[in-house]
Amino acid sequence: MLADVSGDEMDDVSSTASTKEEESSRSDTPTLTGRGRAAMKLKRQLKKCRLQFKCTNYLKEDHGQPLFGIQINQSMKETEPVLFATVGHNRVTVYECHDGGKVKLLQSYADPCTEENFYCCAWSFDDTTGQPILAVGGVRGIIRIISPTMGQCIKQFVGHGNAVNELKFKPKDNNILLSVSKDHDLRLWNVKTGVCAVILGGVEGHRDEALSADFNLSGTKIVSCGMDHSLKIWNLEKEEIKKALAESHVNNAAKTDCPFPTESCNFPDFSTRDIHRNYVDCVRWLGNLVLSKSCENCIVCWRPGGHHESTKLKAEEKEKESVWVLHRFEYRECEIWYMRFSLDYNQQIMALGNQVGHIFVWDLDVDDPTQTKFAKLAHHKSTAAVRQTALSKDGNILLAVSDDGSIWRWDRIR
């Protein structure tokens, strides 16, 4: 059963904006005097962010457990309604967004095991039928492929030795699925042929739970992060990896008794622990730059290498695998881990929820990242931690899921 609220009750909404980030993190403001000066300075600078959203609906799933993940299907046509899925407890639920702030429940999948707790999901499509498919994973480490059209789980993959924390499909190859696990490893699966093609981890891999990863737009690199405070970049253009991925497409288990020769890659192209000093729980590519966050009230925009061209760097500086931090997007009250931000399809909007139910939305469509403006979205009934956000392809609908099992819809005001 869903509690659905819309109309007049949505009027109790506040949306505040500022020029840049919130004035400072707590570590930089040890005294009340310092905070006051920063607040006065902020007030003088206050300019309205061009991104404005209004809360148009919220609903609550009946299990009352935290919803950890939400994903919008970006493969849908522009003329079709926005299709999205939420995951939490042992449930996977699929919805549609309609005009006027309406959210329509389409179907819900309950895992046979009541001990399952789903953490993440990812959309793709069947290249034969064109129908959407949904990959889900969670605490049991089993990846399930659900067909909303057929209304059932059509495949499952077992291989990880512990929980699955994130799933992503490879750009330009809708059959290759990336999974990120508590067992320290990343795996690349071919969902059509059912084989694990590549394992990323081992000698120079993550030394603790891997929490997040992302493909770049061309699908040639993966950036990953985890509880070991590290960020790693893996090159998928290596001949052995390209060969394994190509062979995974033509593998036919019915015609051979031999298991698929899964390729293991123990060495990332780049690794650093210089960006964050705590668990790194979310990472995304922004063009050739990387956005990553920890439990430090800050999303960091950075790139590998120093401020200058690598040819000008000394040999010892190259060996240190230095990073260049371009900007820090600061916010407040987000000090618990597994809080994930999202980008829209065109990478012009970024959204992150915090532990008290607020959502920060940044306008990334600027030439200079230091001039980024943000809007803070708040509703008096949204008080639980916002675990993940999702933006529609055109950036007009912002969705969020919370620890109290609620789903929030915000529509952009033009």
Side-chain angles (χ1 to χ4, degrees), residues 45-186:
Q45 291 178 343
L46 196 66
K47 288 182 182 177
K48 200 170 186 181
C49 175
R50 70 184 182 91
L51 293 176
Q52 296 295 309
F53 288 82
K54 178 179 174 62
C55 185
T56 56
N57 204 343
Y58 70 89
L59 43 111
K60 206 165 188 176
E61 296 193 0
D62 63 353
H63 51 74
Q65 299 298 311
L67 290 174
F68 287 110
I70 182 167
Q71 291 291 334
I72 290 175
N73 186 353
Q74 304 288 0
S75 301
M76 303 294 286
K77 296 174 183 175
E78 290 184 13
T79 54
E80 296 175 313
V82 170
L83 183 72
F84 71 94
T86 62
V87 291
H89 190 40
N90 70 333
R91 302 278 189 87
V92 181
T93 313
V94 181
Y95 302 87
E96 268 183 356
C97 289
H98 291 277
D99 293 341
K102 293 178 181 176
V103 176
K104 180 183 179 183
L105 169 66
L106 296 183
Q107 57 189 236
S108 187
Y109 166 86
D111 194 86
C113 178
T114 55
E115 299 299 312
E116 179 65 275
N117 193 3
F118 289 119
Y119 295 153
C120 53
C121 60
W123 287 99
S124 187
F125 59 91
D126 184 303
D127 51 12
T128 305
T129 64
Q131 297 296 330
I133 57 171
L134 181 66
V136 297
V139 70
R140 296 178 68 219
I142 299 169
I143 300 166
R144 298 192 185 275
I145 308 297
I146 295 170
S147 167
T149 309
M150 297 172 68
Q152 62 185 30
C153 174
I154 55 173
K155 286 180 183 176
Q156 61 184 33
F157 302 116
V158 180
H160 281 298
N162 218 315
V164 173
N165 290 321
E166 185 147 63
L167 294 166
K168 286 285 178 70
F169 278 95
K170 188 175 185 283
K172 302 180 181 179
D173 193 339
N174 58 292
N175 288 314
I176 299 297
L177 174 66
L178 168 67
S179 58
V180 180
S181 176
K182 187 176 180 177
D183 68 7
H184 307 186
D185 289 344
L186 287 71

Side-chain angles (χ1 to χ4, degrees), residues 38 97 343 351 406:
C97 289
L343 297 172
S406 61

Side-chain angles (χ1 to χ4, degrees), residues 18-54:
S18 88
T19 7
K20 302 178 185 176
E21 319 318 316
E22 297 253 354
E23 54 267 29
S24 186
S25 65
R26 288 186 305 203
S27 59
D28 294 330
T29 52
T31 64
L32 286 171
T33 314
R35 274 201 298 271
R37 284 199 300 268
M40 288 172 65
K41 183 181 178 184
L42 182 72
K43 195 169 182 180
R44 286 196 297 270
Q45 291 178 343
L46 196 66
K47 288 182 182 177
K48 200 170 186 181
C49 175
R50 70 184 182 91
L51 293 176
Q52 296 295 309
F53 288 82
K54 178 179 174 62

Side-chain angles (χ1 to χ4, degrees), residues 196-219:
C196 177
V198 181
I199 299 175
L200 306 169
V203 182
E204 293 294 328
H206 287 285
R207 300 297 178 89
D208 203 341
E209 188 165 342
L211 294 176
S212 180
D214 192 32
F215 288 101
N216 65 348
L217 290 174
S218 59

Side-chain angles (χ1 to χ4, degrees), residues 200-411:
L200 306 169
V203 182
E204 293 294 328
H206 287 285
R207 300 297 178 89
D208 203 341
E209 188 165 342
L211 294 176
S212 180
D214 192 32
F215 288 101
N216 65 348
L217 290 174
S218 59
T220 57
K221 293 178 184 177
I222 291 170
V223 60
S224 64
C225 62
M227 283 189 175
D228 57 1
H229 306 188
S230 73
L231 289 132
K232 299 180 186 291
I233 296 176
W234 307 83
N235 179 15
L236 301 187
E237 290 291 276
K238 290 180 178 177
E239 284 306 316
E240 314 86 65
I241 294 177
K242 286 173 72 175
K243 182 183 176 187
L245 290 175
E247 288 179 352
S248 75
H249 285 289
V250 295
N251 181 74
N252 189 336
K255 292 183 178 180
T256 177
D257 295 328
C258 299
F260 184 83
T262 301
E263 177 64 31
S264 290
C265 178
N266 301 142
F267 301 97
D269 270 19
F270 176 86
S271 182
T272 182
R273 295 179 82 245
D274 294 339
I275 307 289
H276 302 283
R277 296 185 178 181
N278 209 322
Y279 297 166
V280 189
D281 59 357
C282 189
V283 65
R284 301 287 181 264
W285 287 97
L286 179 66
N288 292 321
L289 307 176
V290 179
L291 294 165
S292 59
K293 73 166 281 287
S294 181
C295 323
E296 305 158 331
N297 285 321
C298 180
I299 295 172
V300 182
C301 179
W302 60 276
R303 70 169 175 80
H307 289 66
H308 308 290
E309 294 298 320
S310 57
T311 52
K312 298 178 183 178
L313 291 175
K314 295 177 183 177
E316 59 267 25
E317 288 178 329
K318 287 184 183 179
E319 287 175 12
K320 286 196 295 187
E321 294 195 301
S322 59
V323 294
W324 180 17
V325 173
L326 284 81
H327 187 55
R328 298 178 188 273
F329 299 91
E330 295 182 355
Y331 42 87
R332 286 179 173 174
E333 297 176 294
C334 192
E335 290 139 8
I336 59 175
W337 65 282
Y338 210 61
M339 305 282 281
R340 294 175 288 171
F341 63 89
S342 63
L343 297 172
D344 72 320
Y345 183 80
N346 295 313
Q347 299 191 333
Q348 294 179 344
I349 305 171
M350 178 170 66
L352 169 72
N354 70 4
Q355 66 205 49
V356 295
H358 301 160
I359 299 173
F360 297 89
V361 185
W362 287 268
D363 179 7
L364 302 182
D365 190 18
V366 291
D367 294 328
D368 180 1
T370 61
Q371 297 305 310
T372 303
K373 300 170 188 174
F374 76 93
K376 186 173 82 171
L377 312 179
H379 189 279
H380 73 286
K381 290 187 177 179
S382 176
T383 56
V386 176
R387 287 290 175 178
Q388 192 170 29
T389 59
L391 285 146
S392 61
K393 201 166 186 176
D394 58 9
N396 288 334
I397 297 175
L398 169 61
L399 300 167
V401 288
S402 302
D403 266 1
D404 60 358
S406 61
I407 304 164
W408 294 82
R409 174 174 172 175
W410 298 78
D411 283 31

